[in-house]
Amino acid sequence: MNILVLGSGGREHAFSWKIAQSDHCEKLFIAPGNAGTASAGTNVDLQVNDFEGIKDFVVKEQIDLVVVGPEDPLVNGIRDFFEAQSELTKVLLIGPGKDGAQLEGSKDFSKRFMERHGIPTARSRTFTVESLDEGLNYVSSHPTPIVLKADGLAAGKGVIISETPEHARETLKEMLVDAKFGDASSRVVIEQFLAGIELSVFVLTDGSNYKVLPEAKDYKRIGENDTGLNTGGMGAVSPVPFADEDFLRKVDERVIQPTVNGLKKDGIDYKGFLFIGLMNMGGDPYVIEYNVRMGDPETQVVLPRIDSDFLALLEAAAKGTLDQASYTTSPETATTVVMVSGGYPEAYEKGNVISGIETASESLVFHAGTKTGEPGQILTSGGRVLAITGKGSSVAKALENSYNGVEKISWSDEYHRGDIGQDILKLLN
Ligand code: AMP
Ligand code: GLY
């Protein structure tokens, strides 16, 4: 098969690294890709929302399967676009249409979906500028902490946890009246704070059948011990020891089955990944959010734990034959540590020369924000630059392999967290 992966992050490098290992992979392209994806396939200078450009390329290169990495083109309707083009009707695509992508594109839609299908989640109400006064009263009559969420996509920044009613009221006004997140906060979901341990479960579905992929825990804050600003993710660990068989069975019965069945009942033909952010509250799962794609950097620990042909699984999902597919998982632990540019998630430098990648042989080096420079040079070109994945028979051994890799790689303003996985090690002791 000829495959096109859309995106340019560590997730897309992990996808292309895994897909390239398949015997069924003939040509592999990544658009726009990064310096790492260039070693798994061929980078193409096309942006993920340039649907016309993507169409021309798909036709010219006889692409059989398109794997959409980020949420943006899904929310913008890339599947709907493909389905409307007579030249593209035979092309397989991983990712839901505009309707299914609302699970990530609108928090209000996803809350209503969960309510409709009896999926456990925090109690919530949605407010607009017209119902501002009601929203302010709602905040005052509910205990803090309380969670305020911009309805639309806000680059991971649209969730604010307020510790006091005053702060919550101020925040609600900023979001609805001052358009703090632009159009994304013209509707605000206010919900109950859920206390517990977070983890993420990944599902690949063809709309009727599904496979549960390895679960993962990520580390969102920039600072050690989960302090400071939120980021796209600073590290991840899979498997998650507190997600035991009993808990994962509850997730399957109470969350995954009603979600897949709910999509079907609502007439949404969903072919793609579902990333379910969960809170484990006293052994019971509650959904925090849905994403309609894989996570980054979670993909960099999930895919290294899949032993079988991942492309075969993707093909089955896109064709609607996942019931006939099977896959095997490695019992090993995988951990990843994200190396970022100093200053991230705020302003940072680009263009610094990275050294030592080739010497980090005990780990898998996934590129996120990199580009090629002079011959033989790799330069930083984003906030999250590399994700260094280690594997091992225990969390400690996997972390050792990740951090040994991290120690060998450097550039002038590099930063990473030194405590990825430490909370899990403590839980295990
Ligand atoms: P989201 O974008 O919905 O994933 O929210 C970002 C982060 O905010 C989550 O990963 C949680 O850490 C936190 N969060 C969101 N909703 C809640 C909630 N209801 N209770 C506690 N924490 C939450
Ligand atoms: N690591 C979180 C995400 O991909 O949204």
Side-chain angles (χ1 to χ4, degrees):
M1 298 183 93
N2 296 334
I3 299 110
L4 172 64
V5 174
L6 294 181
S8 62
R11 166 183 51 211
E12 287 76 19
H13 186 191
F15 274 144
S16 36
W17 164 80
K18 190 72 188 164
I19 289 170
Q21 292 167 22
S22 167
D23 293 337
H24 304 283
C25 175
E26 286 165 48
K27 286 195 213 161
L28 172 63
F29 298 95
I30 308 92
N34 59 40
T37 59
S39 63
T42 307
N43 285 352
V44 187
D45 188 14
L46 272 175
Q47 298 306 308
V48 297
N49 285 308
D50 176 7
F51 295 174
E52 289 291 344
I54 292 169
K55 170 186 162 185
D56 292 343
F57 183 81
V58 164
V59 171
K60 181 169 92 160
E61 294 294 339
Q62 298 181 315
I63 299 294
D64 301 292
L65 172 71
V66 177
V67 182
V68 185
E71 62 278 16
D72 223 40
L74 296 169
V75 173
N76 290 338
I78 190 163
R79 171 176 285 278
D80 312 65
F81 174 86
F82 266 58
E83 286 174 356
Q85 309 289 317
S86 55
E87 303 98 305
L88 300 180
T89 47
K90 290 217 169 63
V91 180
L92 300 171
L93 188 135
I94 289 289
K98 223 173 177 163
D99 50 0
Q102 287 296 295
L103 279 184
E104 177 164 1
S106 166
K107 303 256 187 224
D108 178 53
F109 176 93
S110 85
K111 295 299 293 194
R112 301 291 84 80
F113 177 87
M114 286 185 260
E115 280 165 17
R116 198 158 57 239
H117 300 293
I119 297 161
T121 187
R123 259 181 289 116
S124 78
R125 286 260 319 261
T126 302
F127 299 94
T128 61
V129 75
E130 286 78 28
S131 52
L132 175 66
D133 288 341
E134 271 176 74
L136 294 171
N137 286 335
Y138 185 85
V139 165
S140 304
S141 60
H142 283 78
T144 50
I146 194 160
V147 186
L148 286 86
K149 300 185 171 185
D151 177 57
L153 293 182
K157 299 196 177 82
V159 174
I160 292 171
I161 298 173
S162 282
E163 300 292 342
T164 64
E166 294 72 33
H167 180 263
R169 283 195 291 268
E170 237 5 83
T171 307
L172 184 64
K173 280 191 237 161
E174 281 170 17
M175 288 167 104
L176 288 177
V177 183
D178 309 334
K180 187 180 168 87
F181 301 105
D183 219 24
S185 63
S186 61
R187 280 192 294 182
V188 174
V189 173
I190 304 186
E191 73 178 30
Q192 170 201 9
F193 178 81
L194 301 175
I197 316 180
E198 264 184 272
L199 77 156
S200 300
V201 168
F202 303 92
V203 177
L204 180 64
T205 179
D206 62 9
S208 299
N209 313 288
Y210 63 88
K211 300 282 179 214
V212 183
L213 305 177
E215 78 284 357
K217 179 182 190 304
D218 82 335
Y219 295 79
K220 287 201 168 75
R221 302 292 195 91
I222 188 72
E224 294 185 1
N225 301 314
D226 296 329
T227 52
L229 293 173
N230 257 325
T231 71
M234 296 295 290
V237 177
S238 175
V240 182
F242 58 80
D244 57 18
E245 208 176 309
D246 185 44
F247 181 77
L248 290 175
R249 187 183 44 75
K250 289 182 191 166
V251 172
D252 191 27
E253 288 172 2
R254 299 181 193 173
V255 177
I256 301 175
Q257 290 176 22
T259 299
V260 173
N261 292 338
L263 286 165
K264 217 172 169 169
K265 275 188 208 151
D266 290 351
I268 297 174
D269 180 22
Y270 195 110
K271 291 184 165 57
F273 293 104
L274 260 171
F275 160 164
I276 309 174
L278 294 168
M279 195 67 89
N280 177 343
M281 292 217 300
D284 291 318
Y286 288 79
V287 177
I288 291 191
E289 64 164 348
Y290 290 110
N291 294 306
V292 298
R293 50 169 174 88
M294 281 297 289
D296 188 340
E298 292 90 336
T299 307
Q300 293 90 305
V301 293
V302 169
L303 294 193
R305 292 196 54 229
I306 294 180
D307 283 336
S308 43
D309 185 338
F310 187 59
L311 178 57
L313 214 52
L314 293 175
E315 186 182 354
K319 282 186 172 158
T321 56
L322 258 188
D323 52 331
Q324 294 156 40
S326 63
Y327 88 98
T328 51
T329 309
S330 155
E332 282 195 316
T333 293
T335 59
T336 200
V337 177
V338 178
M339 301 176 77
V340 306
S341 300
Y344 172 81
E346 297 184 290
Y348 52 82
E349 283 178 13
K350 288 185 186 178
N352 288 322
V353 180
I354 306 171
S355 64
I357 290 180
E358 61 293 334
T359 60
S361 52
E362 63 279 81
S363 45
L364 294 163
V365 177
F366 292 115
H367 292 228
T370 66
K371 63 175 186 189
T372 43
E374 301 291 317
Q377 266 189 355
I378 294 177
L379 308 176
T380 66
S381 76
R384 292 192 292 172
V385 176
L386 300 171
I388 315 299
T389 297
K391 285 177 75 177
S393 55
S394 65
V395 180
K397 288 202 177 108
L399 285 170
E400 194 180 310
N401 285 331
S402 280
Y403 278 107
N404 279 341
V406 169
E407 290 315 315
K408 291 179 182 158
I409 300 173
S410 61
W411 64 87
S412 81
D413 62 351
E414 185 275 331
Y415 168 78
H416 60 268
R417 275 179 62 166
D419 66 337
I420 301 302
Q422 290 303 314
D423 54 340
I424 290 183
L425 285 179
K426 279 199 198 104
L427 278 177
L428 290 172
N429 284 330

